[in-house]
Amino acid sequence: MSHPTGSRSKAACGTKIPPATHPIGQRTLWILLAAIGLSSILLRQAFPIVAIAAPHDDYLFITLAESLLQGRWRGDYNHLTHAKGVAYPVFLALNQLAGWPLKLTEHILYLGAALYFSHMLGRIVNARWLTIVTFMLLAFNPAPWSPVVGGRVIREGLYTSLTLLMLALALRCYMLPDGTSVRQALRKHWAGLSLLGLVGGVFWLTREEGVWLLPSMGMLVVYGLMVRWRQGVAILPALAYLGLPLMVAQLPIQTVNTLNYRQYGVYHHNDFHSPDFVAAYGALSRIRHDAWQRYVVFPKDARERAYRFSAAARELKPHLEGDLGQAWRAIGCDQTRTTPCPEILSGWFMWALRDAVQAAGHYQTAPQAAAFYRQLATQINTACDQSPGECLPRRQTLVPPWRPQYAADTLRASAQIATTLTNLHGLPIGPGEGFGTPKQLDTMARITHQPVAAPPPSATLHQMAMGLAAAQRLILRYGLPLALLAGAWATLQALRNRKLNACHAIGLALTAAIAVRVLLLGFLEATSIPSNNMLYLSPALPLALALIPVACAAHLQRHTTSTAT
């Protein structure tokens, strides 16, 4: 894991740079990294779990993990069985078998991914200081100390680590300058490429919006291919170089699909990727509204049209218009502090719909539920096609119908979300309050191997965490905008001079990941559900922290290059 000199600097930045010297010895490097990691673990262990027995979130993952531990795959079939990805429940079950405290395992995995990512940066740029600074920033990421992110038993505890690990493996396989051709790189990195695919498959099975990382991954892949293409053109090795991770990623995905088919009779891994549910949701959302209301996808007047259009929809009427619908309306309105709030808001309607189908008796089996959703979609779409004035064009998506104001609203919301990220708004540090019945709390403690009523951290550790969080807030508030501006300027100059290098490519990839995540949340904030919060931003937070030292490294290398020439 040493940092070769001279030729690597030249390959990394595409310019003449004097042979690198390392004022930090390798032994000192690993002592510092170990000290940072151990300090991070000590601080993380001071903050307890926040036990939230939310049936559609934290406690759902617990119950799915318990079913796995009992050998029943995802348990008895109901409307929540395929509502969330299976990767985090599998992680919970494996951790329970290992007997480790959940938050310790999550943090060790995160630190491992952060260390590997930081090490790859240091090797590519040939700067040990970059490894140390990046790892220190990532190790003291304040999100794990917050009850709204790290305290919860929720999939972001795994998802953030997978995000970093995917980027680190992409750096290893596509960006590490070794002077090899595509064919040679394929032989050298086949194991890393396979691991990248495996991690990517698990990443896809953890949350539903995995596409947000694809532009960044694409940038790293394209840059790596461009550099190696100069060593010789070989179409088939290039296709294998690109395709191996994609093929391996299918292994965990198709394994889950196969197990679901064997157990439940449907070949998919998540209902929100299922064409049947998506078709039904899209059909309901194409019905016109008498008056548009933000965050409302299926108001009273549209429901009345649906009941007139479809016998399947009429089966849901007693539930959507009854206590079940009122409960979901109240939940959404309370959580968003929306008044007046006469309708079920769109972020909660998908759950209200599933609950109504369950209450109507159509979740006895997975094929039965799929058939009902197909019937509902067919009946609504047929009636809409016959009465086009009452409906929009056919649609098969969970995205709400587009309105012109959404473009400006998305940009405005994205700016506010970027401000949340740079200022760490809504990220309290310390213990939080949970809820649940004694039985639910006991189950959570048993699955996580952690007490759900643990004492708060000591005053010293709490103050230390508060101080570090304040420091990180300052670093992000001033460092991230400067890094973005400096990176944009350096990249434009490099493109103009045709000297785009690995430093620029990494900076662009990190910037793209942050920007796409922020824009995605901005679109959701503008159209569907309040999304301006640090829980949803937490996968992008380490990337924002890492971008700052990467921009510094690019500036220092540019200065070194100018001096050398």
Side-chain angles (χ1 to χ4, degrees):
M1 293 185 175
S2 62
H3 294 264
T5 60
S7 62
R8 177 155 291 170
S9 295
K10 183 176 179 180
C13 293
T15 54
K16 296 178 181 179
I17 296 177
T21 59
H22 295 296
I24 303 171
Q26 186 161 325
R27 181 180 179 184
T28 303
L29 170 70
W30 289 108
I31 289 174
L32 287 172
L33 294 174
I36 293 169
L38 290 174
S39 300
S40 177
I41 291 172
L42 175 65
L43 194 56
R44 176 64 190 89
Q45 286 301 97
F47 293 89
I49 272 182
V50 180
I52 298 177
H56 294 76
D57 286 306
D58 307 47
Y59 199 67
L60 174 59
F61 298 124
I62 292 290
T63 56
L64 290 173
E66 189 170 37
S67 296
L68 287 163
L69 290 165
Q70 294 169 353
R72 300 189 300 117
W73 188 219
R74 299 169 86 163
D76 297 333
Y77 186 76
N78 58 43
H79 62 306
L80 296 179
T81 302
H82 293 152
K84 297 284 178 79
V86 74
Y88 190 59
V90 170
F91 176 77
L92 289 175
L94 292 174
N95 182 74
Q96 205 279 340
L97 291 173
W100 282 36
L102 173 65
K103 292 303 172 180
L104 176 61
T105 305
E106 284 184 358
H107 202 61
I108 289 174
L109 178 62
Y110 169 74
L111 288 176
L115 179 59
Y116 190 46
F117 176 81
S118 304
H119 176 62
M120 285 299 107
L121 287 180
R123 288 189 66 186
I124 291 168
V125 180
N126 199 23
R128 287 176 179 163
W129 71 264
L130 180 59
T131 297
I132 295 170
V133 172
T134 303
F135 184 58
M136 183 165 57
L137 288 173
L138 297 182
F140 296 111
N141 171 5
W145 313 326
S146 176
V148 300
V149 181
R152 295 184 62 179
V153 182
I154 203 161
R155 50 193 172 172
E156 278 72 14
L158 175 64
Y159 196 65
T160 301
S161 301
L162 294 173
T163 300
L164 272 177
L165 190 54
M166 280 186 67
L167 288 170
L169 287 165
L171 293 178
R172 174 71 178 86
C173 296
Y174 295 105
M175 299 292 293
L176 199 61
D178 50 18
T180 59
S181 67
V182 173
R183 187 186 302 274
Q184 292 167 329
L186 179 60
R187 292 172 181 169
K188 183 175 181 179
H189 297 301
W190 67 268
L193 291 166
S194 299
L195 183 57
L196 173 60
L198 185 62
V199 173
V202 177
F203 177 84
W204 194 259
L205 292 169
T206 304
R207 285 194 60 89
E208 292 74 41
E209 76 287 359
V211 294
W212 72 277
L213 202 57
L214 292 182
S216 297
M217 298 293 291
M219 288 179 180
L220 299 178
V221 171
V222 168
Y223 180 86
L225 282 176
M226 287 174 60
V227 170
R228 290 189 166 92
W229 205 263
R230 300 168 189 166
Q231 307 297 326
V233 178
I235 299 299
L236 289 180
L239 291 175
Y241 196 46
L242 289 171
L244 181 57
L246 298 176
M247 289 187 293
V248 175
Q250 291 301 312
L251 290 177
I253 296 172
Q254 300 308 324
T255 297
V256 170
N257 289 345
T258 301
L259 289 170
N260 283 339
Y261 183 78
R262 180 179 178 182
Q263 186 79 7
Y264 304 113
V266 290
Y267 194 82
H268 64 250
H269 57 86
N270 188 306
D271 280 349
F272 292 99
H273 290 160
S274 165
D276 306 308
F277 178 77
V278 174
Y281 190 94
L284 294 175
S285 66
R286 70 178 289 205
I287 300 175
R288 291 187 182 276
H289 307 175
D290 290 344
W292 176 76
Q293 304 172 67
R294 184 177 297 279
Y295 292 161
V296 177
V297 70
F298 196 45
K300 177 72 173 178
D301 54 278
R303 295 199 300 275
E304 291 300 329
R305 291 186 178 96
Y307 302 147
R308 174 163 50 88
F309 288 164
S310 164
R314 288 193 290 274
E315 292 188 53
L316 307 180
K317 182 175 181 178
H319 312 293
L320 292 177
E321 308 302 330
D323 293 341
L324 186 151
Q326 290 303 313
W328 279 110
R329 181 194 61 77
I331 291 171
C333 296
D334 290 346
Q335 291 187 14
T336 58
R337 298 184 176 89
T338 301
T339 55
C341 186
E343 301 288 357
I344 303 172
L345 302 183
S346 58
W348 291 265
F349 172 68
M350 61 183 65
W351 300 108
L353 174 62
R354 296 171 68 82
D355 280 5
V357 175
Q358 162 92 347
H362 293 290
Y363 265 100
Q364 301 299 316
T365 67
Q368 180 192 29
F372 179 81
Y373 285 124
R374 287 196 301 272
Q375 180 187 33
L376 177 62
T378 298
Q379 292 176 355
I380 295 290
N381 284 328
T382 299
C384 280
D385 291 344
Q386 295 172 354
S387 305
E390 297 186 86
C391 301
L392 301 170
R394 285 199 179 218
R395 54 198 326 274
Q396 186 163 331
T397 177
L398 300 179
V399 178
W402 177 255
R403 300 183 66 87
Q405 64 262 42
Y406 283 163
D409 290 348
T410 296
L411 292 176
R412 190 180 305 111
S414 297
Q416 294 168 351
I417 290 169
T419 300
T420 297
L421 177 62
T422 55
N423 290 278
L424 299 180
H425 286 159
L427 194 72
I429 304 301
E433 294 185 5
F435 62 85
T437 66
K439 181 180 179 181
Q440 289 173 327
L441 297 180
D442 178 69
T443 302
M444 294 188 81
R446 177 167 48 83
I447 297 296
T448 63
H449 286 294
Q450 287 193 245
V452 295
S458 69
T460 301
L461 290 176
H462 188 236
Q463 287 300 317
M464 185 183 300
M466 293 284 288
L468 287 168
Q472 293 277 44
R473 187 175 291 111
L474 288 174
I475 290 170
L476 282 167
R477 182 180 299 166
Y478 299 107
L480 185 58
L482 287 174
L484 291 170
L485 289 173
W489 173 254
T491 302
L492 288 174
Q493 290 292 99
L495 288 171
R496 188 177 68 177
N497 298 324
R498 297 185 179 181
K499 291 184 178 180
L500 189 70
N501 59 52
C503 310
H504 302 128
I506 295 170
L508 281 173
L510 293 175
T511 301
I514 298 164
V516 173
R517 186 79 186 177
V518 167
L519 284 170
L520 172 64
L521 296 179
F523 178 75
L524 292 174
E525 174 81 17
T527 64
S528 303
I529 184 173
S531 303
N532 188 1
N533 61 72
M534 285 306 302
L535 177 63
Y536 291 166
L537 277 168
S538 59
L541 178 53
L543 310 186
L545 291 169
L547 180 60
I548 298 169
V550 168
C552 290
H555 174 75
L556 289 174
Q557 288 198 338
R558 183 170 178 267
H559 176 73
T560 303
T561 302
S562 300
T563 303
T565 56

